[in-house]
Amino acid sequence: EVMKQGVKTKVLMLSATPVNNRFKDLKNQIALAYEGQTKSTDEKIHSTKSVETILTNAQQTFNEWNRLPVDQRTSQELMQRLNNNFDLFKLLDSITIARSRRHIEKYYNTDQIGKFPTRLKPITHRSKITNLQDFMEVEQIYEELTRLNLSVYSPFNYILDSRQEFYSALYDTDLDNEVSFKQSYREESLKKLMRVNLLKRLESSVDSFRITLKKFLTNVEITLGSIENFELTGNDASAEAIEINDPDFDASSDDWLDEEFSIGGKVKINLADMNTAGWKEDLLNDYEIARKLLEEMDKVTPEHDAKLQDLKEFIINKAENPINGNNKKILVFTAFADTAHYLYEHISEFAKEYLDLETAKIVGSDQNACTLNIKTQFNNLLINFSPKSKERSSQHAGEKEIDILIATDCIAEGQNLQDCDTLVNYDIHWNPVRIIQRFGRIDRIGSINEVIQLVNFWPQLSLDDYINLKNRVESRMFMVDVTATGEDNVLTNESSDLLFRKKQLERLQEEVVAIEDMDSGISITDLGLNDFRMDLVNYIKEHGDMNSFPNGMHTVCQKNVEKGINTGVIFVLKNINKTVNIDNTNQLHPFYLVYISDSGEILSNHLNVKTTLDILRSVSKDHDQPIKEVFELFNEETDDGKRMVAYSQLLDRAIETIISVKDESEVDSLFRPGGTTALMNAIKGLEDFELITFIVIK
């Protein structure tokens, strides 16, 4: 529908998805740009490998890196390993433009484009469920949840052995004659999801947990009713069961189905083919556990809901002690619409009556609400909550605004809400990236606030206990081995992943970290050169081409220790021996960039193109004239350029490192499938290179 026939159309796809721990998400997005044809090559990137192969190789490299000891699992180590797959860099560079907070702060002039606000240390809060006496301990509630068998979601487990083959043939799915998705596996997956859902709903709010328990009990009651009806009137049915290999069997029809005594929607099973006695026993056990839990939860009325009351206290404190001028705005996130409804019901009236604050609720449906007499459409509520960042029309100047916004993750991405300075996670998302993305609604460039605050309501259990509980709830499941694609088992919850997430969540209790600082991989901003290409295009538009510039020109820039930019020199070289491609993985061949210290230590070699270009941009930006205090040092050191022996020696050293890095790579290739490049090409040394320019850093 976007690509209208006969209309020249350009599409820019925006995504908040980082390269976090899998390249699969990125591969799926790239597949859109390639119209699904990722198994073919792309002439633009001059690679013999398909897009699919390039990304699969990158994933395998990531998997190898991910198995390293924690102290060796650094982003620098990963980048070094990915250097052997520079087709990836060329691919991403051809189709992506990426920015991150860290990237902008380091390489852009934030005085001109606006600054990010300062993040205060997160407030970590743990609420009890209630302060009522003799209420069930939270550990006991969690223990009861793990006791649930959830048999209502797994009827396949109760099919009689004699009928297993029939139903497996009906509902199991074969893929490529190699992999089978069994219906029983699907049901185990559903049980896992439902158990996790119960856990998360309890963490969210008492009301959400109650709603889920009621729905579960109703589901069990309906199923028990079907079984009891069958036992009373249909158990004596003597109709002969049809077999899958019966010549009269038609898989596309339901002629085999007993319409009166069967269960299921898309997956239907005759009760006569089931061990109904065993199923009934397990259903009754689940029913009793859930009934007792609901009975306990019904005691917790809003006035006895400790977590709700803690949120009210926090809102009062924020209103009385704003952190930026008189800014009283609060954004409250929850994972569940039911919790949002519950909070709005009990916060909006309280905030209006006691604090004169206006409240709104956004859940992404027709159930949005607001205490102001305004339209409750999604965008209208956001505009009235954050009118400056959303550029509300001047004709509404002076009108009342929304002070408290309660929302689900339907607004967790892509929204500018930086009029607000405080964000509350009423429930903690298990994925740390989601927490960061939520905070990103107010942690945005151009914020009117000096400081911003994150408040996290954590589960009552300690993080260690919670991790152990989650490990038990999410029982390990091996469904499909897909290592051939470079991916790990997609439905396997490895203990290493739990420990890794625990480490991330621990950090989030002490600091607000950016996605690219989560030590979980690399940012796409580390992989592409598109922004430098745009710098060059814009320069040529303004100043014309650079064909007339002589080689050997140089400049002197100022070091910046805070950004890790120390004294040394950056050489820009060109390989002029056209019979040799010194390094097939060099992203800029035939040009080579080497950043070397005064002592001869390589600070960034020719494979780290992105790092070196970032440094060049950082030391050069905002300077269109020579910097007197540093070029005078250089002139004095070199007698106005007459004594360049030290820099000549550094140039020799830089070229040596280009050759030695290539040699190391070729030795490595001896042990890789596909043979070696060693000794195939010769490199003479200095005479193979031309000095284009050099930048001295003082």
Side-chain angles (χ1 to χ4, degrees):
E1 291 180 4
V2 173
M3 303 294 197
K4 298 295 184 183
Q5 186 174 3
V7 179
K8 186 176 182 180
T9 308
K10 292 185 178 181
V11 177
L12 175 64
M13 181 169 66
L14 301 179
S15 173
T17 304
V19 180
N20 195 32
N21 56 3
R22 292 190 306 165
F23 284 86
K24 185 176 181 180
D25 293 331
L26 183 62
K27 182 168 69 175
N28 290 339
Q29 293 179 20
I30 289 173
L32 289 174
Y34 283 89
E35 299 180 6
Q37 305 302 311
T38 55
K39 293 188 178 179
S40 57
T41 57
D42 183 346
E43 294 179 1
K44 294 192 298 293
I45 63 173
H46 307 293
S47 173
T48 59
K49 297 172 186 165
S50 69
V51 173
E52 184 98 14
T53 300
I54 291 169
L55 290 169
T56 297
N57 290 345
Q59 182 64 52
Q60 289 172 339
T61 299
F62 183 92
N63 291 346
E64 292 167 5
W65 169 84
N66 203 38
R67 288 190 282 269
L68 293 173
V70 174
D71 58 334
Q72 297 177 31
R73 209 185 308 163
T74 64
S75 57
Q76 291 86 351
E77 174 64 24
L78 178 56
M79 285 293 291
Q80 192 66 41
R81 288 168 176 258
L82 285 172
N83 279 336
N84 292 324
N85 181 16
F86 247 73
D87 287 330
L88 172 70
F89 291 73
K90 290 187 286 185
L91 171 65
L92 295 180
D93 188 37
S94 71
I95 59 174
T96 63
I97 302 170
R99 298 290 183 272
S100 67
R101 174 176 177 148
R102 182 176 64 186
H103 186 84
I104 290 169
E105 287 182 327
K106 194 169 185 179
Y107 301 114
Y108 285 77
N109 187 343
T110 52
D111 290 333
Q112 292 179 357
I113 63 175
K115 294 182 178 179
F116 286 95
T118 299
R119 302 157 170 164
L120 297 177
K121 181 180 178 181
I123 295 173
T124 295
H125 186 78
R126 285 185 169 83
S127 294
K128 291 183 176 181
I129 294 175
T130 183
N131 293 316
L132 288 171
Q133 298 296 317
D134 301 323
F135 186 80
M136 188 182 290
E137 293 293 330
V138 67
E139 290 85 0
Q140 188 179 349
I141 296 172
Y142 285 132
E143 187 64 37
E144 290 297 293
L145 288 179
T146 61
R147 285 182 56 222
L148 284 171
N149 185 52
L150 301 176
S151 57
V152 73
Y153 302 116
S154 57
F156 244 66
N157 285 348
Y158 301 91
I159 293 175
L160 297 172
D161 290 346
S162 61
R163 300 296 290 159
Q164 283 285 348
E165 184 180 352
F166 174 81
Y167 287 99
S168 292
L170 266 181
Y171 297 119
D172 292 353
T173 306
D174 290 327
L175 301 177
D176 301 326
N177 297 318
E178 294 179 4
V179 176
S180 178
F181 279 107
K182 294 181 179 295
Q183 176 61 22
S184 57
Y185 289 172
R186 293 190 187 101
E187 292 182 352
E188 286 303 311
S189 298
L190 179 59
K191 285 172 63 174
K192 173 181 172 181
L193 290 171
M194 296 308 297
R195 201 184 302 276
V196 170
N197 187 51
L198 281 163
L199 181 72
K200 302 304 290 182
R201 302 272 288 185
L202 173 60
E203 291 170 17
S204 183
S205 67
V206 172
D207 199 58
S208 281
F209 188 51
R210 273 195 295 255
I211 289 169
T212 302
L213 285 174
K214 287 175 182 176
K215 289 180 178 177
F216 175 72
L217 285 168
T218 299
N219 196 356
V220 173
E221 284 171 356
I222 291 170
T223 306
L224 283 169
S226 297
I227 293 173
E228 288 167 358
N229 188 36
F230 169 72
E231 289 175 341
L232 286 172
T233 59
N235 208 11
D236 295 330
S238 57
E240 186 177 345
I242 195 168
E243 297 298 334
I244 203 74
N245 55 4
D246 193 311
D248 295 327
F249 176 72
D250 180 3
S252 63
S253 74
D254 287 343
D255 292 345
W256 57 272
L257 185 67
D258 185 338
E259 293 286 355
E260 186 178 359
F261 300 114
S262 62
I263 53 96
K266 288 185 178 180
V267 177
K268 297 180 173 68
I269 306 172
N270 286 331
L271 287 169
D273 294 334
M274 300 183 69
N275 173 13
T276 52
W279 195 19
K280 182 178 178 180
E281 182 180 345
D282 288 344
L283 287 167
L284 287 170
N285 181 63
D286 279 355
Y287 187 86
E288 191 59 24
I289 293 171
R291 186 192 62 77
K292 287 182 178 178
L293 284 173
L294 180 59
E295 189 177 275
E296 197 74 5
M297 294 302 142
D298 281 338
K299 299 176 185 176
V300 186
T301 55
E303 60 269 22
H304 294 299
D305 182 345
K307 189 176 182 182
L308 174 63
Q309 297 306 320
D310 287 350
L311 178 61
K312 286 184 177 181
E313 285 296 321
F314 177 79
I315 292 171
I316 293 170
N317 183 61
K318 168 70 162 64
E320 294 176 348
N321 303 284
I323 57 176
N324 291 286
N326 195 37
N327 191 341
K328 298 179 181 180
K329 290 186 184 291
I330 301 174
L331 176 56
V332 181
F333 267 111
T334 173
F336 299 105
D338 287 328
T339 297
H341 300 325
Y342 178 69
L343 292 180
Y344 181 78
E345 180 184 354
H346 298 289
I347 293 294
S348 57
E349 188 176 331
F350 147 79
K352 180 86 169 175
E353 182 177 350
Y354 294 99
L355 303 170
D356 193 29
L357 298 179
E358 305 292 347
T359 306
K361 170 186 66 174
I362 295 180
V363 292
S365 69
D366 58 2
Q367 294 180 293
N368 295 342
C370 185
T371 55
L372 285 174
N373 186 25
I374 60 174
K375 294 179 180 178
T376 58
Q377 285 98 333
F378 184 91
N379 286 323
N380 195 50
L381 292 178
L382 293 178
I383 287 169
N384 283 281
F385 176 66
S386 191
K388 292 185 179 67
S389 66
K390 289 287 187 181
E391 299 179 348
R392 187 173 72 171
S393 172
S394 58
Q395 71 184 47
H396 297 290
E399 293 183 10
K400 292 204 74 173
E401 301 173 8
I402 296 167
D403 304 294
I404 302 170
L405 179 60
I406 300 165
T408 61
D409 285 318
C410 66
I411 66 163
E413 298 172 10
Q415 295 296 336
N416 293 317
L417 303 176
Q418 60 264 41
D419 289 17
C420 177
D421 64 0
T422 302
L423 186 143
V424 177
N425 284 308
Y426 195 70
D427 42 45
I428 287 295
H429 203 288
W430 175 240
N431 185 349
V433 171
R434 175 61 73 186
I435 299 173
I436 297 166
Q437 286 174 330
R438 286 175 173 180
F439 196 46
R441 298 318 96 224
I442 69 172
D443 184 15
R444 301 184 79 74
I445 201 163
S447 171
I448 61 172
N449 301 299
E450 287 293 322
V451 295
I452 51 176
Q453 181 69 68
L454 179 65
V455 182
N456 293 321
F457 279 70
W458 291 82
Q460 194 178 343
L461 293 175
S462 71
L463 196 53
D464 280 324
D465 289 341
Y466 182 68
I467 293 288
N468 291 335
L469 170 71
K470 190 166 180 65
N471 196 16
R472 287 166 56 199
V473 169
E474 292 187 351
S475 56
R476 288 176 56 154
M477 265 185 1
F478 297 88
M479 285 185 58
V480 187
D481 187 3
V482 287
T483 50
T485 67
E487 300 286 341
D488 289 328
N489 283 316
V490 289
L491 291 178
T492 300
N493 188 15
E494 298 288 3
S495 58
S496 61
D497 180 62
L498 280 170
L499 293 173
F500 184 68
R501 294 213 177 189
K502 176 192 169 188
K503 181 182 174 184
Q504 292 180 318
L505 290 167
E506 282 175 338
R507 283 190 66 186
L508 285 169
Q509 293 190 33
E510 299 298 322
E511 58 181 316
V512 180
V513 288
I515 289 174
E516 66 266 27
D517 293 328
M518 288 301 288
D519 295 330
S520 57
I522 52 176
S523 166
I524 261 190
T525 55
D526 298 323
L527 300 176
L529 304 179
N530 189 278
D531 44 344
F532 301 105
R533 186 174 291 109
M534 293 310 300
D535 283 351
L536 182 59
V537 168
N538 291 332
Y539 181 89
I540 291 173
K541 279 182 181 177
E542 185 175 350
H543 302 283
D545 65 49
M546 293 176 280
N547 293 337
S548 60
F549 291 1
N551 290 344
M553 289 183 68
H554 65 275
T555 189
V556 188
C557 296
Q558 201 159 25
K559 70 179 181 180
N560 189 326
V561 177
E562 287 183 4
K563 293 183 178 180
I565 303 172
N566 297 304
T567 57
V569 58
I570 296 174
F571 291 108
V572 181
L573 305 162
K574 183 179 181 181
N575 176 224
I576 55 174
N577 181 350
K578 294 184 179 179
T579 64
V580 59
N581 179 352
I582 180 171
D583 196 334
N584 292 315
T585 62
N586 178 22
Q587 201 170 358
L588 293 180
H589 183 81
F591 297 95
Y592 293 78
L593 279 69
V594 181
Y595 177 23
I596 188 169
S597 73
D598 291 342
S599 64
E601 177 190 358
I602 300 300
L603 302 176
S604 178
N605 70 28
H606 69 284
L607 297 180
N608 297 325
V609 174
K610 178 71 164 57
T611 300
T612 310
L613 287 173
D614 276 337
I615 291 167
L616 282 173
R617 170 187 276 168
S618 183
V619 296
S620 305
K621 72 178 182 182
D622 304 326
H623 296 293
D624 57 3
Q625 297 296 322
I627 306 171
K628 186 176 181 181
E629 55 265 38
V630 289
F631 78 67
E632 285 183 344
L633 286 174
F634 175 76
N635 288 344
E636 182 179 343
E637 176 190 24
T638 62
D639 190 15
D640 293 329
K642 298 183 183 70
R643 295 196 306 269
M644 297 293 291
V645 175
Y647 288 94
S648 294
Q649 291 173 343
L650 290 177
L651 176 60
D652 290 347
R653 168 71 180 136
I655 293 173
E656 282 176 16
T657 62
I658 294 174
I659 299 167
S660 66
V661 169
K662 175 179 170 58
D663 289 344
E664 289 172 13
S665 176
E666 289 184 334
V667 169
D668 289 341
S669 75
L670 287 167
F671 304 99
R672 289 201 304 269
T676 177
T677 56
L679 307 180
M680 289 173 61
N681 295 311
I683 184 69
K684 301 172 186 175
L686 281 175
E687 63 269 31
D688 283 315
F689 290 93
E690 187 175 36
L691 179 63
I692 303 300
T693 187
F694 63 100
I695 300 89
V696 177
I697 300 176
K698 286 288 182 186

